[in-house]
Each structure stands twice: as C-alpha cells, then as structure tokens.
C-alpha cells in the first residue's frame, strides 16, 4: 500500500519519516519540485531503517508523478511556510497555484486517492484541492485540528503536571486566530478540565493555543514541522488502517452547524473512506458565536480564492 507526500520540506519530510518508521505504509513516495531534494531525503529515511527497524520503502521523485501512481492517500505539504510577521492568509497567492498544479498531477495518477492537505492557509487550500480534484467531500480534507488540539493538550499537561496522553480535547473552526478551543469538551483522564484548573489560567492556555503557530514562527523564523508532520501521519494511519478515529478535521460543511459550503475544522470519524461521519456537537450560544466568527473569516479568504480563479 502506497502513500505519497508532496513537498519534501520540513513538514513533508517529517510526515514521510513518521509514516516509514511507524510502518503505516509499505511504500512512501516523496515528491518535490527542487531537483534531488526528495530523492535525498527518501534515501536518508531508508538508510535509517536498519537502525530504527522498519521495512517501509521510501522513494523520492523530482516532480515525476508516475512514481506516485495508485497511491491510497496523498498528503499535500508543498508551498511556502510563514515567516515572522506573516499571517497564514498572506500565503494564498503563491500556495493556491502550487496546490492547484499538485492536485492536478495527483488525481491524474491516483484518481482513487484520499487527499490530506497541509499547506496554508489551510482551510482555503483544502477548498482549492476540492475545486481542482472535484472529489467528494469525504475524500478531500485538511489537517489543522489535530495539531491545534495537540498544542492545547501539551500546554494543559504542562500546567497540570500530568501526562499529555491523558488529556482529551476537541477544537473547532478555521486554522488561525479564530479557532475555537472548547474547554467544556476537555477532560483529563475522564475528569472535566474545569475541575482541575481555574478559569484564568485556562483562558491563558486557550489564548496561547490560538497563537501557538505564531509563537514557533517567532522562535524559529519559519513554521513548525515535528507536530504538523506527525499530525498528518496520524490522519493517514486512521485512513489506511480504517481506525475510525475521532479527530478534528477540516472538511466542507454541508448544513452541519447551520453552515453550508464552507471549509472548517469539526470533529469527524476518520476511516477507510476518508470522512466517515461529521459529528455535530451541541454547542452553547457562546461557542456557536465563536464558530460563526471563524466561519466568517474563512469565507472571506475563500472569496479571495474565488476571485483569483
Ligand atoms: N496545516 C497546518 O497545521 C500546518 C502546519 C505547519 C505548516 N503548514 C504549511 O505547510 C506548508 C509546508 O511547510 P514547510 O515548513 O514544510 O515548508 P518548506 O519550505 O520546508 O517545504 C515546502 C516544500 O514544498 C516544495 N514545493 C514548492 N512548490 C512545489 C510544487 N509545485 N511541487 C512540489 N513541491 C513543491 C518546496 O520545494 C519545499 O521543499 C506551508 O504552506 C506551511 O504554512 C501547515
């Protein structure tokens, strides 16, 4: 079983590495436009196999999509990352063209593939992949929620001095400052988080989560890759192993939450058919208001894309 990762930069190479060392696929094809980059990284990951003990084959390709033919899942990470001072939306012009041409090549060689988009601005690049591929919403999705909840869970684990494994959380909305963390749906080993932490420090963690990507851009001069690459690999695993995991995923809403034709992060069941089900939470008035604000922001950027094409 073959998985392709397009973009052999920081996020793509990390995703390919996780897919290989966790043996999530038999074959991982890494594609990049930069001559030799994907071949080099694929070879490096393969040379790690005797040390880390895995047998996933990793293959690199400079823009030759024939090597990706018949992929079950394709992860798209190609495109510019943020630099300090930039918002994710600033990337739209360059990245829309890249995601469009990559998606054309992907569907030409793997018409049955499920597409997981990572490139930013995430929600709108997922929309772009949908417009280009014309695939149903079950098969084109974006990765952001797993990363954003992971940041939230990691901050909470630190504050409570507990294992991050025991923190369960869900987060909704677009991948940006308007994302909607949901403390009401956050538990620590089954205990509602509000019983373990006061409102003020919890609010601080929510705010830090919203700007969690920006915090890393400021520190490193570019955006994060270990957690994003691992998050994308976790989505691939849920699909190829038909795990029916419950994750926040960016998907086209078709009436859920009273929202139509907009790409937003919501909890879904992820399995062999891609989005198996969109889960509708019973949001309270304030949570719904926050989701609507996030929807408004994503729609503005979707309109920018519509005007470009
Ligand atoms: N969704 C998320 O949560 C999330 C998190 C982190 C990063 N990102 C986004 O992921 C993208 C990649 O980030 P990165 O840090 O890996 O960047 P990077 O610059 O390290 O890697 C991007 C790679 O894409 C390649 N590329 C460009 N055009 C291409 C094309 N037409 N075909 C194939 N490859 C092409 C580049 O050569 C480069 O190697 C960015 O848009 C970034 O904003 C999203």
């Amino acid at each position: 079983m073959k998985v392709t990762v397009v973009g052999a930069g920081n996020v793509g190479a990390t995703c390919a590495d996780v897919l290989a060392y966790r043996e999530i696929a038999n074959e991982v094809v890494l594609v990049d436009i930069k001559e030799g980059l994907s071949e080099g990284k694929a070879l490096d990951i393969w040379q790690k196999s005797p040390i880390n003990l895995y047998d996933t084959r990793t293959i690199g390709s400079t823009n030759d999509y024939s090597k990706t033919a018949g992929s079950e899942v394709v992860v798209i990470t190609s495109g510019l990352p943020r630099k300090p001072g930039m918002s994710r939306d600033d990337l739209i012009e360059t990245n829309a063209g890249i995601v469009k041409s990559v998606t054309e090549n992907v569907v030409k060689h793997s018409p049955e593939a499920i597409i997981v988009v990572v490139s930013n601005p995430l929600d709108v690049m997922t929309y772009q992949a949908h417009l280009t591929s014309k695939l149903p919403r079950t098969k084109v999705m974006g990765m952001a929620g797993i990363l954003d909840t992971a940041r939230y869970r990691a901050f909470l684990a630190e504050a409570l001095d507990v294992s991050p494994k025991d923190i369960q959380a869900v987060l909704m909305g677009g991948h940006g400052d308007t994302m909607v963390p949901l403390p009401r749906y956050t538990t620590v080993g089954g205990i509602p988080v509000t019983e373990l932490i006061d409102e003020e420090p919890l609010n601080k963690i929510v705010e830090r989560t919203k700007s969690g990507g920006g915090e890393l851009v400021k520190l490193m001069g570019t955006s994060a890759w270990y957690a994003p690459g691992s998050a994308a690999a976790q989505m691939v695993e849920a699909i190829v192993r038909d795990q029916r995991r419950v994750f926040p995923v960016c998907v086209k809403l078709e009436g859920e939450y009273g929202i139509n034709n907009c790409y937003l992060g919501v909890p879904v069941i992820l399995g062999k058919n891609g989005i198996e089900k969109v889960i509708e939470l019973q949001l309270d008035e304030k949570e719904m208001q926050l989701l609507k604000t996030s929807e408004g922001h994503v729609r503005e950027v979707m309109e920018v894309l519509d005007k470009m094409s």
Side-chain angles (χ1 to χ4, degrees):
M1 183 264 306
K2 193 194 271 190
V3 173
T4 287
V5 180
V6 184
N10 287 334
V11 177
T14 304
C15 179
D17 184 34
V18 176
L19 291 171
Y21 81 70
R22 298 206 49 234
E23 295 182 321
I24 292 169
N26 307 96
E27 187 180 338
V28 177
V29 182
L30 198 50
V31 183
D32 203 283
I33 203 166
K34 241 181 250 169
E35 187 75 44
L37 182 73
S38 55
E39 288 86 345
K41 291 201 179 177
L43 186 59
D44 192 14
I45 295 170
W46 175 239
Q47 289 171 356
K48 193 162 70 72
S49 64
I51 303 166
N52 284 167
L53 300 178
Y54 52 83
D55 46 33
T56 300
R57 306 301 293 230
T58 48
I59 289 147
S61 160
T62 302
N63 233 19
D64 173 6
Y65 282 80
S66 64
K67 292 186 180 156
T68 71
S71 295
E72 257 184 51
V73 184
V74 176
V75 181
I76 300 180
T77 76
S78 45
L80 296 184
R82 275 197 288 172
K83 299 290 171 209
M86 284 174 99
S87 88
R88 295 178 178 92
D89 299 344
D90 294 334
L91 302 168
I92 188 168
E93 251 175 70
T94 312
N95 287 358
I98 293 173
V99 171
K100 184 168 187 279
S101 72
V102 164
T103 306
E104 282 164 359
N105 283 314
V106 165
V107 289
K108 192 168 148 199
H109 292 88
S110 304
E112 302 298 324
I114 291 173
I115 299 177
V116 177
V117 178
V118 179
S119 312
N120 272 319
L122 188 272
D123 309 276
V124 180
M125 291 305 101
T126 310
Y127 174 44
Q128 174 71 76
H130 165 72
L131 289 176
T132 308
S133 68
K134 299 182 178 64
L135 288 169
R137 72 160 177 169
T138 51
K139 297 186 85 173
V140 186
M141 64 197 80
M143 186 293 292
I146 296 181
L147 170 66
D148 294 329
T149 37
R151 286 179 174 150
Y152 174 60
R153 291 161 68 196
F155 296 150
L156 270 173
E158 208 177 359
L160 297 171
D161 197 15
V162 300
S163 166
K165 289 180 190 167
D166 288 324
I167 301 191
Q168 291 289 325
V170 59
L171 180 149
M172 293 175 68
H175 182 49
D177 303 344
T178 61
M179 71 178 78
V180 187
L182 295 168
R184 208 160 61 86
Y185 290 95
T186 307
T187 58
V188 183
I191 305 161
V193 73
T194 44
E195 291 188 19
L196 299 175
I197 189 168
D198 291 336
E199 199 178 330
E200 200 195 317
L202 182 58
N203 285 342
K204 275 197 184 139
I205 286 173
V206 165
E207 289 312 311
R208 189 176 174 197
T209 303
K210 288 185 187 173
S211 54
E215 181 180 349
L216 290 165
V217 172
K218 221 182 262 173
L219 286 167
M220 304 191 294
T222 188
S223 56
W225 58 89
Y226 293 117
S230 301
Q234 193 169 45
M235 287 176 68
V236 174
E237 182 179 25
I239 296 165
V240 300
R241 297 199 169 137
D242 192 21
Q243 291 174 323
R244 299 186 70 83
R245 298 285 312 263
V246 177
F247 287 137
V249 168
C250 172
V251 61
K252 183 185 184 189
L253 293 181
E254 292 177 344
E256 295 90 355
Y257 300 93
I259 298 172
N260 237 318
N261 293 325
C262 184
Y263 279 83
L264 274 184
V266 292
V268 307
I269 298 175
L270 206 54
K272 67 174 187 306
N273 302 303
I275 308 285
E276 304 281 355
K277 185 179 170 26
V278 172
I279 298 173
E280 277 196 85
L281 304 176
Q282 299 298 312
L283 298 182
D284 65 23
E285 209 176 303
K286 190 175 156 224
E287 291 160 347
M288 189 54 99
Q289 190 51 49
L290 290 170
L291 187 64
K292 291 279 177 193
T293 304
S294 196
E295 176 203 357
H297 179 76
V298 171
R299 275 197 196 282
E300 272 174 31
V301 191
M302 283 171 70
E303 277 164 24
V304 173
L305 185 78
D306 287 335
K307 282 185 193 140
M308 279 168 54
S309 48

